[in-house]
Amino acid sequence: MTIFNVLLAVTSMAVLELPPSAENSRNSEGDFAVLKDGRILYVYSHFKRGTGQDHDPAVLASRVSCDGGKTWSEPVLLQGSETRSNPRPLA
């Protein structure tokens, strides 16, 4: 499965919505990767506090899909501590 197929699958199916909440003011700047076993990994900036501005505390989080993007796991925090600015995933 190529990244093009992943993006096509994600755009043609239900989209994973990550709405803000009191404990999570924003989710943004994510990257997808297809793992060797076919799962899709999504890593993104997970803002934990503040108003969701670029300089609010944030961590890197991930979610995994085992079914081509139809469903996604709960978030897993990848970075051990909050940064003082947007931690952007690397492509």
Side-chain angles (χ1 to χ4, degrees):
M1 180 179 285
T2 66
I3 192 65
F4 175 76
N5 291 352
V6 170
L7 293 176
L8 181 60
V10 170
T11 58
S12 64
M13 292 183 215
V15 175
L16 173 63
E17 292 188 34
L18 302 173
S21 67
E23 298 82 30
N24 177 213
S25 61
R26 175 176 142 200
N27 297 296
S28 62
E29 286 92 15
D31 287 314
F32 291 94
V34 179
L35 305 177
K36 288 183 180 182
D37 62 7
R39 293 178 299 151
I40 303 169
L41 173 67
Y42 178 53
V43 178
Y44 59 97
S45 299
H46 177 92
F47 288 78
K48 296 178 75 176
R49 295 179 297 174
T51 60
Q53 301 299 314
D54 282 346
H55 297 289
D56 286 345
V59 297
L60 290 179
S62 71
R63 291 177 185 247
V64 175
S65 176
C66 299
D67 57 12
K70 292 178 186 174
T71 62
W72 293 88
S73 68
E74 290 298 312
V76 174
L77 300 184
L78 300 177
Q79 184 178 340
S81 61
E82 295 178 358
T83 65
R84 291 182 181 236
S85 63
N86 191 345
R88 294 182 180 106
L90 298 175

